[in-house]
Structure formats: C-alpha cells, structure tokens
Amino acid sequence: NDRMKKLMLGNEAVARGAYEAGVRVASSYPGTPSTEITEFIAKYDEIYAEWAPNEKVAVETAVGAAISGGRAISAMKHVGLNVAADPLFTASYIGVNGGLVIVVADDPGMHSSQNEQDSRHYAIGAKLPMLEPADSSECKEFTKRAFAISEEFDTPVILRLTTRVAHSQSLVEMCDREEVPLKDYQKDIAKNVMIPANAKPKHVFVEEKLAAFAETSDLNREIIKGKKIGIIAAGISYQYACEACPDASILKLGMVNPLPEKMIRDFAAKVDKVYVVEQLDPVIETFCR
C-alpha cells in the first residue's frame, strides 16, 4: 500500500475523517473525552472551526450550515448531548441538505465526568442512526460513512465514541480530501418548519428510513470461528471480546441504531450460546431479548 499511514488518537482520526469528507463547518463545545476532535479539526484551513457558547448553540450552528448546503460536524461529551437535545430531536424530523454529523463521546468509568450516561438512548429516542467505531481507523472511516448516510437518508447521524476509543491510538490510512460542492438551498416550509401539520407525516419517515439499511450494511459483520460461543459487541467492547475470547464467533456491530434484527437472529442461530458484551446500559442485550 503506497498510501501513508499514521498513528492517531481516535479523536484525531475523527477530525481527519471530517477533513477527508469535505466538511466546511465545525461548531462544538469542549468536554473530555471529546475536546481534541475540534482542536484537531481547527488545524485544517479548509474547515471553519469554532467553539460555541454551549452544545445547543453548537448543534444549531451545524444544523444551519447543513441546511444551507455544506457538510457540518458538531462534537461534545455525553452530558453535552443533554444540552443539545432540543435542536437535535427536531433536526431528526427536518433532515439535512448538506451532511450533518453529531459526535458524542461517552465516558464509561467516569474518568472525567460527573455521570455515566449512555448516549445510545438519545439515538433511540431521537430516531437517529448511530455509528460506533472500535479503533482509530474506524473513527476516520465511520466519520466519512456517516456523512454519506446523512445525505443519502436525509438525516443527522450520531457518531458515538467512548473514552478508550477516543484516547487510544492505532494506524490510520491517510486519504485525499473530497471537495463536496455546496448544495443549493431550496425554500421548503413543509420540510424545514416542524409545526404539527408538517411533523406528523415526518414521524412515519423517521421510523422507517434506515431499518433495511442496517440489515445489509457492511458496517455490521460476522466473524465466524466456531459454533460453541457467539458474542455480539460494538465499539471498544468488541476489542475486549476479541482479546478475552479469541476462539469465539463475533457479530461486530458498527451501527448501533437501528440494530439489525434479522442479522442478529441469523447469527444467534449459528451458535450454541450467545453473549452480549457492552459498556454501560444493556441496550443491545435488551433488543436481543
């Protein structure tokens, strides 16, 4: 491979993914373990990067940039998503024009946080797709994929990191920046103004938009090694499962919302016993049950 590879933190790799995806605007609020994402983004002259007064303003700035046709990203820690929830839940119904990615970094173990909440509940509640990378290489690639999914399905996409992924290093392949043209803004009150008459038909759309995609996406993949034990895991929990049970078959989930029901059923049928390995709340376990 003649492409250059570099050892990167997960946060740095997300920034690199934003650069390569042609992002134009980054508006964030600092908070460990997410802070370095925007600090690294600010080093790319092609991206306008700013700290906002809080996470709500950061997301609203990114939403505005996306509606006007440019790809935009906003990063925060898990408790910051509480502050940003108001515009985020409505942006789910409005959709995007240019791609929009919200990066949230959870902190299992509370290394630098006042609580241990699980941001996957926000993706479920807001009916938004959520991707969860397991290493720095996936941080970059999943960021780029998130923008593609955002524009294909007209939706914001949440990228979830956890502390160990955000602050660990692995090799990342460097690629060129994709210069994505600004999309034209079209005045569309039914799409962009969520009064009840416009919101009601959009509810059906947000329920259905990604269910089929999750079943066929290569973001989710099986690693079949044996029939005795099967493990379902995502993010850093996948790495732990590989180390602890090297002979187990694994269903690695890169998309943690929506979850692929048929794929999970098919995987479970191939093994004698299934374990779910995840941090914080039993989100995948509850779905499987």
Side-chain angles (χ1 to χ4, degrees), residues 1 59 91 93 95 100 107 125 138 146 156 163 185 188 201 215 225 229 231 238 244 264 266 270 272:
N1 191 333
V59 167
Y93 279 49
L100 174 62
D107 191 18
E138 286 190 349
T163 300
Y185 170 76
D188 187 343
E215 295 288 357
K225 292 187 176 180
I229 294 175
I231 296 174
Y238 161 75
I264 290 171
D266 290 347
K270 296 175 184 177
D272 297 333

Side-chain angles (χ1 to χ4, degrees), residues 160-174:
R160 179 190 188 233
L161 276 62
T162 56
T163 300
R164 291 303 179 209
V165 172
H167 289 163
S168 296
Q169 289 183 320
S170 62
L171 283 172
V172 175
E173 184 178 295
M174 312 285 274

